[in-house]
Amino acid sequence: MSQDVYRLIGPRGNEMELPVHRGTTGPDVIDVARLYGEKGVFTYDPGFVSTGSCKSDITFIDGEEGVLMYRGYPVEQLAAKSSFIEVCYLLLRGSLPTQSELDEFETTIRRHTMLNEGMLNFFKGFRYDAHPMAQLSAVVGSMSAYYHDEMDASNPEHRDIFAHRILAKLPTIAAAAYKLNIGQPFMYPRNDLNYSENLLHMLFAVPAEPYEINEVAAEALDLLFILHADHEQNCSTSTVRMAGSSGANPYSAIAAGISALWGPAHGGANEAVLAMLREIGDVSQISKYIDKAKDKKDPFRLMGFGHRVYKNFDPRATIIREMCYKVLEALDPEDKPLFELALELEQVALKDDYFKEKNLYPNVDFYSGIIYRALGIPRSMFTVMFALGRSVGWVAHWREMISDPHGKIARPRQLYVGEGKRDYVEIGDR
Ligand code: ACO
């Protein structure tokens, strides 16, 4: 890191020099950590639009140039050549594995897919229509009860076991949540299948008949998981780091991340895209909804468009767009008109001045929802799919955060705008 400084000039000639840190790549970062101690002021940055919360060597994003790299490898190369499991290894361990390292890692994940039988009882306690994200968050939280004794965060071996359990068991929990919703028996995992194939099996197989895995479907899921695997300090990852920074059990921190991901401005967007397409209903209604999205008095937004970081294009969207066409071609899904509507909406918005001026492009979730739907995955499961991919990013960031010898509990400050001091008024006098 360089020793450049940033000079802050406050009221009454009050000056301060703030160190500037330079990362491997990306914008410089002004270190304001001494500001309150020395000058008694806080910084104010709602939504953390200009704030770096930590140092990290996991993922790099350049929103202007549409760059996304995991451990230095461009996501385009990983999408073309790697598998989700290999990307998991890369994110967790920092480098690409040799063949034997990959085989050993994949075997470990495949051998930990089963849930403790007692955990299945949780699903009996949910209502049949419980949202699968709520089930996922609750059951992952419950892992802190099951695996409490083997979870000493200062023990690297325990941290590895935690990582393997999250990666291996999340698909099983996700599939169990889905089976509860549709009233089908829970399907046990099959360790002879790879990550994405096994997920398809647990979601769609039934004990009464054989289930044939569609290779295009498995390939599409694997690609989506690679593209969702990490995205540096996004809302859910920051939530995991923040919850974990108190020393909380990491399964609980992951459960908190799942809850954060569920919101429609984050992982819930892919679900919201499909809801929006159903609401639009027909190609003839597109211009009406484009106008609604542009109308500041109307809360309607074009879901799946825009991104906090990518202000040029979302590189994940470019990759997944191709897969979207491949899946629609190979699977010829029943509700094809919905997909045609989505593709027409994409074209109209891309040509519209409002969207062009504000750099609003389709994000990864615009296409992911369409692919999931074509695979037969219901809308309520879309964000669950996102969570499966992102789980490795959450774990990698939790490990990085907890291994930092200078780590502190995350505790932001505020700009207080409430009442000044006032005296308590007896209830009869109010
Ligand atoms: N439709 C219409 N207008 C939009 C949209 C949209 N989807 N997105 C942004 N805008 C407009 C805003 O109204 C604002 O206009 P203004 O400058 O005239 O006030 C401008 O573009 C900037 O938008 P902000 O909300 O300030 O941008 P921000 O970076 O805070 O928000 C976000 C990014 C939340 C993703 C936003 O674009 C959005 O709500 N998109 C739809 C939801 C979505 O697809 N979320 C998925 C994100 S990807 C992910 O989580 C994996």
Side-chain angles (χ1 to χ4, degrees), residues 228 264-267 269 273 293-294 296 300-309 311 314 316 354-355 358 360 363-365 386 390:
H228 281 110
H266 191 11
V273 169
K294 296 193 292 194
K296 291 289 160 218
F300 177 81
R301 279 190 168 198
L302 219 49
M303 299 315 285
F305 274 73
H307 197 275
R308 167 58 62 83
V309 179
K311 297 302 178 192
D314 180 341
R316 303 166 301 172
Y354 172 94
F355 290 88
K358 293 189 186 300
L360 298 170
N363 57 50
V364 66
D365 284 327
F386 189 161
R390 184 55 54 84

mmCIF file of all heavy atoms in Angstrom, residues 228 264-267 269 273 293-294 296 300-309 311 314 316 354-355 358 360 363-365 386 390, ligand 1:
data_model
loop_
_atom_site.group_PDB
_atom_site.id
_atom_site.type_symbol
_atom_site.label_atom_id
_atom_site.label_comp_id
_atom_site.label_asym_id
_atom_site.label_seq_id
_atom_site.Cartn_x
_atom_site.Cartn_y
_atom_site.Cartn_z
ATOM 1 N N HIS A 228 -22.820 -16.539 -9.840
ATOM 2 C CA HIS A 228 -23.329 -15.976 -8.594
ATOM 3 C C HIS A 228 -22.395 -16.216 -7.411
ATOM 4 O O HIS A 228 -22.685 -15.775 -6.295
ATOM 5 C CB HIS A 228 -24.697 -16.584 -8.254
ATOM 6 C CG HIS A 228 -25.821 -15.979 -9.033
ATOM 7 N ND1 HIS A 228 -26.501 -16.657 -10.016
ATOM 8 C CD2 HIS A 228 -26.381 -14.763 -8.975
ATOM 9 C CE1 HIS A 228 -27.429 -15.864 -10.525
ATOM 10 N NE2 HIS A 228 -27.388 -14.709 -9.908
ATOM 11 N N PRO A 264 -36.067 -7.896 -2.570
ATOM 12 C CA PRO A 264 -36.192 -7.713 -4.021
ATOM 13 C C PRO A 264 -35.140 -6.807 -4.636
ATOM 14 O O PRO A 264 -34.908 -6.872 -5.831
ATOM 15 C CB PRO A 264 -37.595 -7.124 -4.200
ATOM 16 C CG PRO A 264 -37.986 -6.618 -2.867
ATOM 17 C CD PRO A 264 -37.235 -7.413 -1.833
ATOM 18 N N ALA A 265 -34.472 -5.949 -3.828
ATOM 19 C CA ALA A 265 -33.410 -5.117 -4.404
ATOM 20 C C ALA A 265 -32.111 -5.905 -4.531
ATOM 21 O O ALA A 265 -31.130 -5.416 -5.059
ATOM 22 C CB ALA A 265 -33.175 -3.878 -3.549
ATOM 23 N N HIS A 266 -32.098 -7.133 -4.019
ATOM 24 C CA HIS A 266 -30.865 -7.945 -4.042
ATOM 25 C C HIS A 266 -31.211 -9.256 -4.752
ATOM 26 O O HIS A 266 -31.607 -9.253 -5.905
ATOM 27 C CB HIS A 266 -30.396 -8.111 -2.594
ATOM 28 C CG HIS A 266 -29.025 -8.677 -2.420
ATOM 29 N ND1 HIS A 266 -28.131 -8.844 -3.441
ATOM 30 C CD2 HIS A 266 -28.377 -9.134 -1.288
ATOM 31 C CE1 HIS A 266 -26.993 -9.358 -2.966
ATOM 32 N NE2 HIS A 266 -27.123 -9.548 -1.663
ATOM 33 N N GLY A 267 -31.123 -10.384 -4.044
ATOM 34 C CA GLY A 267 -31.337 -11.676 -4.703
ATOM 35 C C GLY A 267 -32.778 -11.926 -5.093
ATOM 36 O O GLY A 267 -33.060 -12.762 -5.954
ATOM 37 N N ALA A 269 -34.535 -10.178 -6.786
ATOM 38 C CA ALA A 269 -34.876 -9.535 -8.059
ATOM 39 C C ALA A 269 -35.267 -10.549 -9.129
ATOM 40 O O ALA A 269 -36.150 -10.276 -9.944
ATOM 41 C CB ALA A 269 -33.704 -8.685 -8.543
ATOM 42 N N VAL A 273 -38.559 -10.370 -11.307
ATOM 43 C CA VAL A 273 -38.592 -10.265 -12.769
ATOM 44 C C VAL A 273 -39.754 -11.084 -13.322
ATOM 45 O O VAL A 273 -40.534 -10.609 -14.158
ATOM 46 C CB VAL A 273 -37.250 -10.756 -13.401
ATOM 47 C CG1 VAL A 273 -37.378 -10.912 -14.910
ATOM 48 C CG2 VAL A 273 -36.119 -9.805 -13.070
ATOM 49 N N ALA A 293 -42.076 2.729 -15.564
ATOM 50 C CA ALA A 293 -40.723 2.646 -14.969
ATOM 51 C C ALA A 293 -40.030 4.005 -15.009
ATOM 52 O O ALA A 293 -39.224 4.316 -14.135
ATOM 53 C CB ALA A 293 -39.886 1.606 -15.707
ATOM 54 N N LYS A 294 -40.368 4.826 -16.009
ATOM 55 C CA LYS A 294 -39.709 6.132 -16.148
ATOM 56 C C LYS A 294 -40.394 7.218 -15.318
ATOM 57 O O LYS A 294 -39.819 8.271 -15.081
ATOM 58 C CB LYS A 294 -39.709 6.546 -17.636
ATOM 59 C CG LYS A 294 -38.884 5.587 -18.485
ATOM 60 C CD LYS A 294 -38.581 6.092 -19.874
ATOM 61 C CE LYS A 294 -39.759 6.203 -20.781
ATOM 62 N NZ LYS A 294 -39.381 6.369 -22.195
ATOM 63 N N LYS A 296 -41.427 9.116 -12.283
ATOM 64 C CA LYS A 296 -40.895 9.222 -10.911
ATOM 65 C C LYS A 296 -41.994 9.123 -9.861
ATOM 66 O O LYS A 296 -41.720 8.793 -8.699
ATOM 67 C CB LYS A 296 -40.132 10.539 -10.735
ATOM 68 C CG LYS A 296 -38.852 10.598 -11.510
ATOM 69 C CD LYS A 296 -37.809 9.671 -10.892
ATOM 70 C CE LYS A 296 -36.713 9.333 -11.880
ATOM 71 N NZ LYS A 296 -36.221 7.986 -11.827
ATOM 72 N N PHE A 300 -43.122 1.778 -9.653
ATOM 73 C CA PHE A 300 -42.732 0.634 -10.495
ATOM 74 C C PHE A 300 -41.328 0.823 -11.076
ATOM 75 O O PHE A 300 -40.996 1.891 -11.590
ATOM 76 C CB PHE A 300 -43.741 0.462 -11.647
ATOM 77 C CG PHE A 300 -43.377 -0.643 -12.599
ATOM 78 C CD1 PHE A 300 -43.654 -1.965 -12.302
ATOM 79 C CD2 PHE A 300 -42.740 -0.349 -13.806
ATOM 80 C CE1 PHE A 300 -43.302 -2.987 -13.183
ATOM 81 C CE2 PHE A 300 -42.386 -1.363 -14.696
ATOM 82 C CZ PHE A 300 -42.674 -2.674 -14.385
ATOM 83 N N ARG A 301 -40.510 -0.202 -10.989
ATOM 84 C CA ARG A 301 -39.181 -0.209 -11.614
ATOM 85 C C ARG A 301 -39.092 -1.431 -12.496
ATOM 86 O O ARG A 301 -39.714 -2.457 -12.199
ATOM 87 C CB ARG A 301 -38.082 -0.316 -10.562
ATOM 88 C CG ARG A 301 -37.764 0.988 -9.923
ATOM 89 C CD ARG A 301 -36.517 0.920 -9.067
ATOM 90 N NE ARG A 301 -36.109 2.264 -8.711
ATOM 91 C CZ ARG A 301 -34.913 2.592 -8.270
ATOM 92 N NH1 ARG A 301 -34.002 1.677 -8.096
ATOM 93 N NH2 ARG A 301 -34.621 3.841 -7.979
ATOM 94 N N LEU A 302 -38.305 -1.331 -13.517
ATOM 95 C CA LEU A 302 -38.103 -2.491 -14.375
ATOM 96 C C LEU A 302 -37.181 -3.450 -13.638
ATOM 97 O O LEU A 302 -35.977 -3.187 -13.515
ATOM 98 C CB LEU A 302 -37.468 -2.016 -15.680
ATOM 99 C CG LEU A 302 -37.954 -2.686 -16.966
ATOM 100 C CD1 LEU A 302 -39.447 -2.741 -17.065
ATOM 101 C CD2 LEU A 302 -37.355 -1.974 -18.157
ATOM 102 N N MET A 303 -37.749 -4.522 -13.117
ATOM 103 C CA MET A 303 -36.940 -5.450 -12.328
ATOM 104 C C MET A 303 -35.954 -6.179 -13.238
ATOM 105 O O MET A 303 -36.283 -6.516 -14.377
ATOM 106 C CB MET A 303 -37.832 -6.452 -11.581
ATOM 107 C CG MET A 303 -38.789 -5.806 -10.609
ATOM 108 S SD MET A 303 -38.025 -4.524 -9.575
ATOM 109 C CE MET A 303 -37.083 -5.497 -8.433
ATOM 110 N N GLY A 304 -34.747 -6.408 -12.705
ATOM 111 C CA GLY A 304 -33.709 -7.053 -13.519
ATOM 112 C C GLY A 304 -32.922 -6.050 -14.346
ATOM 113 O O GLY A 304 -32.068 -6.439 -15.142
ATOM 114 N N PHE A 305 -33.212 -4.760 -14.152
ATOM 115 C CA PHE A 305 -32.448 -3.710 -14.834
ATOM 116 C C PHE A 305 -31.759 -2.838 -13.793
ATOM 117 O O PHE A 305 -32.352 -2.505 -12.770
ATOM 118 C CB PHE A 305 -33.370 -2.825 -15.686
ATOM 119 C CG PHE A 305 -33.604 -3.396 -17.051
ATOM 120 C CD1 PHE A 305 -34.427 -4.497 -17.221
ATOM 121 C CD2 PHE A 305 -32.987 -2.856 -18.164
ATOM 122 C CE1 PHE A 305 -34.637 -5.047 -18.464
ATOM 123 C CE2 PHE A 305 -33.187 -3.400 -19.419
ATOM 124 C CZ PHE A 305 -34.010 -4.500 -19.578
ATOM 125 N N GLY A 306 -30.525 -2.431 -14.097
ATOM 126 C CA GLY A 306 -29.795 -1.542 -13.201
ATOM 127 C C GLY A 306 -28.954 -2.332 -12.216
ATOM 128 O O GLY A 306 -29.225 -3.498 -11.932
ATOM 129 N N HIS A 307 -27.916 -1.688 -11.741
ATOM 130 C CA HIS A 307 -27.052 -2.327 -10.751
ATOM 131 C C HIS A 307 -26.293 -1.255 -9.992
ATOM 132 O O HIS A 307 -25.892 -0.256 -10.576
ATOM 133 C CB HIS A 307 -26.063 -3.287 -11.428
ATOM 134 C CG HIS A 307 -25.456 -4.249 -10.468
ATOM 135 N ND1 HIS A 307 -24.351 -3.946 -9.708
ATOM 136 C CD2 HIS A 307 -25.819 -5.504 -10.116
ATOM 137 C CE1 HIS A 307 -24.061 -4.979 -8.942
ATOM 138 N NE2 HIS A 307 -24.931 -5.930 -9.158
ATOM 139 N N ARG A 308 -26.109 -1.462 -8.690
ATOM 140 C CA ARG A 308 -25.389 -0.495 -7.880
ATOM 141 C C ARG A 308 -23.949 -0.314 -8.365
ATOM 142 O O ARG A 308 -23.420 0.795 -8.372
ATOM 143 C CB ARG A 308 -25.417 -0.943 -6.407
ATOM 144 C CG ARG A 308 -24.457 -0.213 -5.469
ATOM 145 C CD ARG A 308 -24.668 1.292 -5.420
ATOM 146 N NE ARG A 308 -25.978 1.663 -4.928
ATOM 147 C CZ ARG A 308 -26.312 1.752 -3.648
ATOM 148 N NH1 ARG A 308 -25.445 1.481 -2.721
ATOM 149 N NH2 ARG A 308 -27.521 2.126 -3.311
ATOM 150 N N VAL A 309 -23.317 -1.380 -8.784
ATOM 151 C CA VAL A 309 -21.895 -1.301 -9.146
ATOM 152 C C VAL A 309 -21.692 -1.226 -10.661
ATOM 153 O O VAL A 309 -20.911 -0.408 -11.138
ATOM 154 C CB VAL A 309 -21.133 -2.515 -8.559
ATOM 155 C CG1 VAL A 309 -19.659 -2.450 -8.952
ATOM 156 C CG2 VAL A 309 -21.261 -2.546 -7.038
ATOM 157 N N LYS A 311 -22.231 0.076 -13.965
ATOM 158 C CA LYS A 311 -22.902 1.215 -14.578
ATOM 159 C C LYS A 311 -22.662 1.207 -16.083
ATOM 160 O O LYS A 311 -22.948 2.166 -16.776
ATOM 161 C CB LYS A 311 -22.408 2.531 -13.945
ATOM 162 C CG LYS A 311 -22.753 2.628 -12.460
ATOM 163 C CD LYS A 311 -24.271 2.523 -12.176
ATOM 164 C CE LYS A 311 -24.600 2.584 -10.699
ATOM 165 N NZ LYS A 311 -25.972 2.226 -10.345
ATOM 166 N N ASP A 314 -23.351 -5.567 -17.026
ATOM 167 C CA ASP A 314 -23.088 -6.602 -16.039
ATOM 168 C C ASP A 314 -22.464 -7.776 -16.802
ATOM 169 O O ASP A 314 -23.139 -8.409 -17.618
ATOM 170 C CB ASP A 314 -24.425 -6.991 -15.375
ATOM 171 C CG ASP A 314 -24.282 -8.065 -14.311
ATOM 172 O OD1 ASP A 314 -23.258 -8.767 -14.305
ATOM 173 O OD2 ASP A 314 -25.219 -8.207 -13.503
ATOM 174 N N ARG A 316 -21.814 -10.692 -16.072
ATOM 175 C CA ARG A 316 -22.508 -11.959 -15.844
ATOM 176 C C ARG A 316 -23.721 -12.068 -16.750
ATOM 177 O O ARG A 316 -24.067 -13.133 -17.245
ATOM 178 C CB ARG A 316 -22.934 -12.065 -14.376
ATOM 179 C CG ARG A 316 -21.775 -11.930 -13.408
ATOM 180 C CD ARG A 316 -22.256 -11.700 -11.995
ATOM 181 N NE ARG A 316 -23.074 -10.507 -11.885
ATOM 182 C CZ ARG A 316 -23.747 -10.153 -10.800
ATOM 183 N NH1 ARG A 316 -23.696 -10.907 -9.732
ATOM 184 N NH2 ARG A 316 -24.473 -9.048 -10.774
ATOM 185 N N TYR A 354 -34.163 6.883 -21.723
ATOM 186 C CA TYR A 354 -34.096 6.927 -20.255
ATOM 187 C C TYR A 354 -33.120 5.869 -19.745
ATOM 188 O O TYR A 354 -32.228 6.157 -18.941
ATOM 189 C CB TYR A 354 -35.503 6.682 -19.678
ATOM 190 C CG TYR A 354 -35.558 6.500 -18.180
ATOM 191 C CD1 TYR A 354 -35.808 7.584 -17.329
ATOM 192 C CD2 TYR A 354 -35.385 5.234 -17.601
ATOM 193 C CE1 TYR A 354 -35.875 7.405 -15.942
ATOM 194 C CE2 TYR A 354 -35.449 5.056 -16.227
ATOM 195 C CZ TYR A 354 -35.694 6.138 -15.409
ATOM 196 O OH TYR A 354 -35.763 5.961 -14.043
ATOM 197 N N PHE A 355 -33.276 4.649 -20.216
ATOM 198 C CA PHE A 355 -32.427 3.556 -19.739
ATOM 199 C C PHE A 355 -30.987 3.722 -20.228
ATOM 200 O O PHE A 355 -30.038 3.417 -19.509
ATOM 201 C CB PHE A 355 -33.013 2.199 -20.171
ATOM 202 C CG PHE A 355 -34.270 1.875 -19.428
ATOM 203 C CD1 PHE A 355 -35.506 2.303 -19.895
ATOM 204 C CD2 PHE A 355 -34.231 1.195 -18.228
ATOM 205 C CE1 PHE A 355 -36.672 2.048 -19.191
ATOM 206 C CE2 PHE A 355 -35.380 0.934 -17.516
ATOM 207 C CZ PHE A 355 -36.613 1.368 -17.989
ATOM 208 N N LYS A 358 -29.270 6.591 -18.139
ATOM 209 C CA LYS A 358 -28.971 6.220 -16.752
ATOM 210 C C LYS A 358 -28.133 4.940 -16.679
ATOM 211 O O LYS A 358 -27.912 4.401 -15.588
ATOM 212 C CB LYS A 358 -30.274 6.030 -15.975
ATOM 213 C CG LYS A 358 -31.040 7.331 -15.806
ATOM 214 C CD LYS A 358 -32.206 7.154 -14.849
ATOM 215 C CE LYS A 358 -33.067 8.404 -14.782
ATOM 216 N NZ LYS A 358 -32.361 9.592 -14.321
ATOM 217 N N LEU A 360 -28.812 1.883 -17.510
ATOM 218 C CA LEU A 360 -29.564 0.781 -16.912
ATOM 219 C C LEU A 360 -29.613 -0.375 -17.914
ATOM 220 O O LEU A 360 -30.303 -0.302 -18.924
ATOM 221 C CB LEU A 360 -30.979 1.231 -16.548
ATOM 222 C CG LEU A 360 -31.067 2.356 -15.517
ATOM 223 C CD1 LEU A 360 -32.487 2.891 -15.410
ATOM 224 C CD2 LEU A 360 -30.593 1.867 -14.154
ATOM 225 N N ASN A 363 -29.434 -6.888 -15.658
ATOM 226 C CA ASN A 363 -28.430 -7.501 -14.780
ATOM 227 C C ASN A 363 -28.587 -9.023 -14.831
ATOM 228 O O ASN A 363 -29.483 -9.540 -15.500
ATOM 229 C CB ASN A 363 -28.526 -6.930 -13.354
ATOM 230 C CG ASN A 363 -29.905 -7.113 -12.754
ATOM 231 O OD1 ASN A 363 -30.441 -8.216 -12.774
ATOM 232 N ND2 ASN A 363 -30.482 -6.037 -12.231
ATOM 233 N N VAL A 364 -27.718 -9.721 -14.122
ATOM 234 C CA VAL A 364 -27.701 -11.189 -14.190
ATOM 235 C C VAL A 364 -29.072 -11.785 -13.865
ATOM 236 O O VAL A 364 -29.467 -12.820 -14.413
ATOM 237 C CB VAL A 364 -26.599 -11.761 -13.255
ATOM 238 C CG1 VAL A 364 -26.915 -11.493 -11.802
ATOM 239 C CG2 VAL A 364 -26.345 -13.213 -13.504
ATOM 240 N N ASP A 365 -29.819 -11.111 -13.002
ATOM 241 C CA ASP A 365 -31.083 -11.689 -12.562
ATOM 242 C C ASP A 365 -32.200 -11.581 -13.581
ATOM 243 O O ASP A 365 -33.211 -12.255 -13.466
ATOM 244 C CB ASP A 365 -31.500 -11.076 -11.223
ATOM 245 C CG ASP A 365 -30.668 -11.672 -10.120
ATOM 246 O OD1 ASP A 365 -30.319 -12.852 -10.249
ATOM 247 O OD2 ASP A 365 -30.359 -10.961 -9.152
ATOM 248 N N PHE A 386 -29.955 -18.689 -6.146
ATOM 249 C CA PHE A 386 -28.942 -17.647 -5.985
ATOM 250 C C PHE A 386 -28.152 -17.919 -4.691
ATOM 251 O O PHE A 386 -26.908 -17.867 -4.671
ATOM 252 C CB PHE A 386 -29.650 -16.286 -5.940
ATOM 253 C CG PHE A 386 -28.771 -15.072 -5.980
ATOM 254 C CD1 PHE A 386 -29.311 -13.844 -6.332
ATOM 255 C CD2 PHE A 386 -27.425 -15.116 -5.675
ATOM 256 C CE1 PHE A 386 -28.527 -12.695 -6.374
ATOM 257 C CE2 PHE A 386 -26.630 -13.972 -5.717
ATOM 258 C CZ PHE A 386 -27.190 -12.768 -6.052
ATOM 259 N N ARG A 390 -24.163 -18.322 -4.101
ATOM 260 C CA ARG A 390 -23.477 -17.307 -3.295
ATOM 261 C C ARG A 390 -22.918 -17.881 -1.990
ATOM 262 O O ARG A 390 -22.066 -17.254 -1.350
ATOM 263 C CB ARG A 390 -24.435 -16.141 -3.029
ATOM 264 C CG ARG A 390 -23.869 -14.940 -2.289
ATOM 265 C CD ARG A 390 -22.637 -14.337 -2.942
ATOM 266 N NE ARG A 390 -22.804 -13.979 -4.356
ATOM 267 C CZ ARG A 390 -23.323 -12.843 -4.813
ATOM 268 N NH1 ARG A 390 -23.716 -11.922 -3.967
ATOM 269 N NH2 ARG A 390 -23.431 -12.612 -6.122
HETATM 270 N N1 ACO B 1 -36.169 0.895 -13.506
HETATM 271 C C1 ACO B 1 -36.367 2.226 -13.645
HETATM 272 N N2 ACO B 1 -35.541 3.166 -13.174
HETATM 273 C C2 ACO B 1 -34.442 2.742 -12.521
HETATM 274 C C3 ACO B 1 -34.166 1.387 -12.336
HETATM 275 C C4 ACO B 1 -35.072 0.444 -12.850
HETATM 276 N N3 ACO B 1 -34.836 -0.871 -12.721
HETATM 277 N N4 ACO B 1 -33.017 1.255 -11.655
HETATM 278 C C5 ACO B 1 -32.582 2.495 -11.406
HETATM 279 N N5 ACO B 1 -33.445 3.412 -11.932
HETATM 280 C C6 ACO B 1 -33.281 4.858 -11.929
HETATM 281 C C7 ACO B 1 -33.600 5.433 -10.555
HETATM 282 O O1 ACO B 1 -34.959 5.828 -10.468
HETATM 283 C C8 ACO B 1 -32.656 6.607 -10.486
HETATM 284 O O2 ACO B 1 -33.201 7.665 -11.235
HETATM 285 P P1 ACO B 1 -32.921 9.204 -10.793
HETATM 286 O O3 ACO B 1 -31.444 9.398 -10.914
HETATM 287 O O4 ACO B 1 -33.691 9.994 -11.794
HETATM 288 O O5 ACO B 1 -33.419 9.335 -9.395
HETATM 289 C C9 ACO B 1 -31.424 6.121 -11.243
HETATM 290 O O6 ACO B 1 -31.909 5.129 -12.157
HETATM 291 C C10 ACO B 1 -30.360 5.523 -10.345
HETATM 292 O O7 ACO B 1 -30.976 4.486 -9.567
HETATM 293 P P2 ACO B 1 -30.622 4.207 -8.044
HETATM 294 O O8 ACO B 1 -31.749 3.476 -7.406
HETATM 295 O O9 ACO B 1 -30.159 5.473 -7.386
HETATM 296 O O10 ACO B 1 -29.376 3.266 -8.217
HETATM 297 P P3 ACO B 1 -28.840 2.269 -7.152
HETATM 298 O O11 ACO B 1 -27.451 1.985 -7.521
HETATM 299 O O12 ACO B 1 -29.097 2.757 -5.767
HETATM 300 O O13 ACO B 1 -29.782 0.990 -7.333
HETATM 301 C C11 ACO B 1 -30.645 -1.098 -8.016
HETATM 302 C C12 ACO B 1 -29.427 -0.159 -8.015
HETATM 303 C C13 ACO B 1 -31.203 -1.279 -6.586
HETATM 304 C C14 ACO B 1 -30.194 -2.471 -8.501
HETATM 305 C C15 ACO B 1 -31.723 -0.493 -8.950
HETATM 306 O O14 ACO B 1 -31.211 -0.341 -10.261
HETATM 307 C C16 ACO B 1 -32.997 -1.334 -8.975
HETATM 308 O O15 ACO B 1 -33.863 -1.164 -8.103
HETATM 309 N N6 ACO B 1 -33.145 -2.257 -9.972
HETATM 310 C C17 ACO B 1 -34.252 -3.159 -10.019
HETATM 311 C C18 ACO B 1 -34.062 -4.294 -9.025
HETATM 312 C C19 ACO B 1 -33.006 -5.280 -9.482
HETATM 313 O O16 ACO B 1 -32.988 -5.732 -10.638
HETATM 314 N N7 ACO B 1 -32.124 -5.686 -8.526
HETATM 315 C C20 ACO B 1 -31.097 -6.683 -8.803
HETATM 316 C C21 ACO B 1 -29.741 -6.153 -8.612
HETATM 317 S S1 ACO B 1 -28.569 -7.362 -9.131
HETATM 318 C C22 ACO B 1 -28.335 -8.364 -7.826
HETATM 319 O O17 ACO B 1 -28.635 -8.136 -6.709
HETATM 320 C C23 ACO B 1 -27.668 -9.643 -8.163
#
